[in-house]
Amino acid sequence: MLNKKSEYIIHKSIIVFIILMVLPFFVLCFFNHPCPEDLSFTEYTHRIGFLNTQIYMYNDIGGRFLTCALLSINPLIFHSIPAFKLLIFLFMIFFFFVLHFFINQLFSGVLLLREKLIISLSILFLYLYGMPSVSEGFYYLAGITTYNVSIILLFLAIVFYKWHIEAKTKKSKMFFGACTMIWISAIMGTTELMIALIFLSILIFITLKIYFEKKLSPVLVFFILFLAAVFYFIILSPGSDKRQNYSDSIFDIIYSSLIFTFESMYFWVINTPLIGFTIMLIPVLFILTGSKKSVLKIFTINPVISFIISFIYLLTMPVLIYWSTSDSPYARITNFIYFLFLIIWFFNLIVVIFYLREKIKINFTNYVKYFYITGSIVVVLFLFKENNNILVAHTELIDGTAIEYDSKMNDMYRQIYESKSDTCVLDGIEKIPKTFIEVQFASDPYEIYNYWYTRYFHKKRIYFQKYSKTTFE
């Protein structure tokens, strides 16, 4: 068993280590540049105005009203690349802030601040390490406003619902209940996947409440009716209908979704330092499960039931994607699924530790230092894994790849603005950092990506003359 001073030093060391590992991703925000699709949304606002853009997107793209609004009012409207970079940075900061706020509120009065910080930093580290596409997760505005914003809003909604449950007065309950509805309403305008997950969560919560407490919550019933009404408005939008493709049979959809889910889970467990962080966090979570606070009752669920519900959550998302598109989830969608997997993984870890502690009376106290040592070794070894996102981000920042890319992009903008011709033929960029978006200019002047650039910069044609394909190194 560690003494307080040794435990303090270990916790601080873990915090500093993780911050140093993820810091390059925040710095790289200032070398990133908007991809063509980011420019396309802004160009619509330039050309037809904000309100008409929202109407057009509802009819042509779908009912994601919050995502469309955010994409239409970004700094690119003012042709400010520095402001765009700052916005991406602030989004990333705010994502972690809300993640930590969620962890802090969930375990308020149970864990020390540094212990909660270790949990939130560990989740961020794993998310950045194992994301299928970091570029589409944190440097692609359309991806951020659709998926990361939905995660942020979900965490806030859960916190406000927790405050609603804990409120002592009727006035406070009404206030926090109303705030929860506001956040849920905002979530409705991001991604249909999150709407489905919230709908599923409320159904499961109602079922468990009826099973264990033999009563039905009117608030939850109201929530689910409200969700159904908003989802009806979104899913029936002309834009949503255009994006659907219901060609596969139910059997094919279920089969493909099962394969995707099992393969993804296997990859995330084997090819990321998830096991290392799991081992490292056991001492912290053991402290957590020792609390008798009522807020932790959710973790007393039977592990078997928890595993079944968790698998239903993970399976639901690929089912929806295969059903609506007849294709496997895109990288940015897989990012979203992976983040949910991480939350579910650590939720189940707490459930299992609670079960072992209460039912089998297992005590980890005497082995704390071995958990920290073993977990740390596993995590460090994974840092040497070739082409992992953490290593790539550090390398691209240190070797100047990101700086060179930023300089080349700025030169390209200068050439476009200084050109008096309607056609701009550029030298091109030989190497784009892997951390950033992988869709840029092409040599074909009629390529859709080039088309978006030409509309944004008010030219007829913009394309590369030297390189038929941009290389990634």
Side-chain angles (χ1 to χ4, degrees):
M1 182 176 179
L2 294 174
N3 58 45
K4 294 294 182 181
K5 184 177 180 180
S6 298
E7 188 176 61
Y8 175 83
I9 293 173
I10 289 174
H11 287 174
K12 288 293 184 181
S13 300
I14 293 173
I15 291 170
V16 171
F17 169 76
I18 296 177
I19 289 176
L20 290 175
M21 291 299 101
V22 302
L23 186 60
F25 292 96
F26 292 87
V27 178
L28 284 169
C29 291
F30 297 101
F31 301 100
N32 181 42
H33 288 266
C35 73
E37 192 170 0
D38 292 336
L39 299 177
S40 71
F41 287 103
T42 308
E43 187 275 329
Y44 282 123
T45 306
H46 269 161
R47 182 158 44 90
I48 63 177
F50 176 80
L51 183 59
N52 287 332
T53 298
Q54 307 316 302
I55 296 172
Y56 165 76
M57 289 185 177
Y58 179 77
N59 289 315
D60 197 70
I61 297 177
R64 299 173 176 179
F65 56 87
L66 180 59
T67 294
C68 292
L70 292 173
L71 287 170
S72 302
I73 56 175
N74 69 81
L76 294 174
I77 290 177
F78 307 103
H79 283 254
S80 177
I81 301 300
F84 171 83
K85 295 178 180 181
L86 179 61
L87 177 65
I88 298 297
F89 173 77
L90 292 176
F91 258 128
M92 201 167 184
I93 289 287
F94 191 59
F95 180 87
F96 175 70
F97 171 80
V98 174
L99 170 62
H100 181 62
F101 173 72
F102 171 73
I103 298 295
N104 188 51
Q105 291 299 316
L106 191 63
F107 305 135
S108 177
V110 183
L111 295 175
L112 298 173
L113 178 60
R114 67 174 186 268
E115 292 167 337
K116 289 179 284 190
L117 188 57
I118 288 174
I119 295 174
S120 52
L121 281 171
S122 297
I123 293 172
L124 180 65
F125 181 104
L126 286 166
Y127 189 37
L128 290 169
Y129 185 101
M131 291 175 81
S133 175
V134 178
S135 59
E136 293 188 46
F138 281 108
Y139 303 105
Y140 170 46
L141 194 57
I144 293 171
T145 54
T146 302
Y147 299 102
N148 286 358
V149 167
S150 70
I151 292 170
I152 289 171
L153 294 173
L154 176 64
F155 283 156
L156 293 175
I158 293 173
V159 169
F160 273 93
Y161 183 67
K162 174 178 176 287
W163 290 347
H164 164 77
I165 294 174
E166 296 174 347
K168 303 298 182 183
T169 65
K170 186 176 181 180
K171 189 175 181 180
S172 297
K173 278 188 175 294
M174 290 181 61
F175 174 76
F176 290 124
C179 290
T180 304
M181 289 303 300
I182 291 172
W183 293 121
I184 290 178
S185 300
I187 292 171
M188 300 297 100
T190 54
T191 172
E192 296 82 2
L193 284 178
M194 188 62 86
I195 301 173
L197 289 177
I198 294 175
F199 195 87
L200 177 62
S201 299
I202 295 176
L203 280 178
I204 291 173
F205 204 82
I206 288 174
T207 303
L208 292 176
K209 202 167 184 65
I210 293 174
Y211 180 79
F212 289 109
E213 300 180 14
K214 311 300 181 186
K215 64 179 182 180
L216 183 63
S217 170
V219 175
L220 292 176
V221 173
F222 177 75
F223 279 172
I224 207 160
L225 292 175
F226 175 78
L227 281 171
V230 177
F231 187 68
Y232 180 81
F233 167 78
I234 291 172
I235 205 66
L236 289 186
S237 68
S240 294
D241 187 60
K242 287 180 181 179
R243 290 165 46 227
Q244 308 304 314
N245 179 13
Y246 312 104
S247 60
D248 288 346
S249 68
I250 294 297
F251 175 81
D252 290 336
I253 290 170
I254 298 297
Y255 177 77
S256 299
S257 300
L258 285 169
I259 295 298
F260 173 86
T261 302
F262 281 119
E263 287 183 347
S264 297
M265 290 171 60
Y266 176 81
F267 180 87
W268 294 330
V269 172
I270 300 299
N271 290 284
T272 74
L274 179 60
I275 298 300
F277 276 103
T278 299
I279 296 170
M280 191 188 301
L281 287 175
I282 284 176
V284 174
L285 299 180
F286 184 74
I287 297 171
L288 170 66
T289 55
S291 171
K292 301 300 180 182
K293 288 194 66 175
S294 59
V295 70
L296 298 177
K297 283 183 179 179
I298 190 173
F299 298 117
T300 62
I301 185 174
N302 186 286
V304 175
I305 296 176
S306 180
F307 294 158
I308 293 172
I309 293 174
S310 298
F311 186 75
I312 291 173
Y313 271 113
L314 292 174
L315 185 63
T316 297
M317 287 176 286
V319 165
L320 290 173
I321 298 301
Y322 281 107
W323 172 70
S324 61
T325 67
S326 295
D327 198 2
S328 58
Y330 305 133
R332 55 185 175 272
I333 299 175
T334 310
N335 287 344
F336 177 80
I337 298 173
Y338 173 53
F339 186 83
L340 181 67
F341 168 78
L342 291 176
I343 299 299
I344 287 174
W345 176 276
F346 287 110
F347 174 86
N348 280 289
L349 179 60
I350 296 173
V351 168
V352 169
I353 293 176
F354 197 98
Y355 181 84
L356 293 176
R357 180 167 191 158
E358 296 298 312
K359 303 296 183 181
I360 307 180
K361 305 301 180 184
I362 288 181
N363 193 326
F364 298 102
T365 306
N366 296 327
Y367 309 99
V368 167
K369 64 180 179 181
Y370 300 110
F371 283 110
Y372 283 130
I373 293 171
T374 304
S376 298
I377 291 173
V378 173
V379 171
V380 171
L381 288 176
F382 267 93
L383 289 175
F384 294 97
K385 184 177 173 61
E386 187 178 1
N387 289 328
N388 72 77
N389 294 333
I390 301 288
L391 179 63
V392 169
H394 279 259
T395 302
E396 291 177 339
L397 191 60
I398 294 171
D399 70 4
T401 300
I403 298 173
E404 181 183 355
Y405 167 71
D406 181 51
S407 177
K408 293 283 188 181
M409 287 297 293
N410 289 330
D411 287 342
M412 190 179 71
Y413 298 143
R414 180 182 52 78
Q415 291 178 53
I416 294 172
Y417 284 123
E418 292 178 356
S419 174
K420 304 300 182 182
S421 172
D422 285 337
T423 299
C424 292
V425 185
L426 307 170
D427 290 339
I429 300 174
E430 295 182 77
K431 186 166 62 175
I432 297 176
K434 287 183 180 179
T435 307
F436 296 149
I437 196 65
E438 298 179 1
V439 180
Q440 297 292 338
F441 280 130
S443 59
D444 181 359
Y446 300 101
E447 177 72 43
I448 183 64
Y449 309 122
N450 290 359
Y451 174 75
W452 288 332
Y453 268 106
T454 59
R455 295 292 293 263
Y456 181 78
F457 289 108
H458 307 293
K459 300 289 185 180
K460 284 187 177 179
R461 295 179 187 174
I462 301 176
Y463 60 97
F464 287 158
Q465 68 172 347
K466 288 187 177 180
Y467 306 102
S468 60
K469 185 183 291 186
T470 303
T471 59
F472 306 95
E473 296 181 7

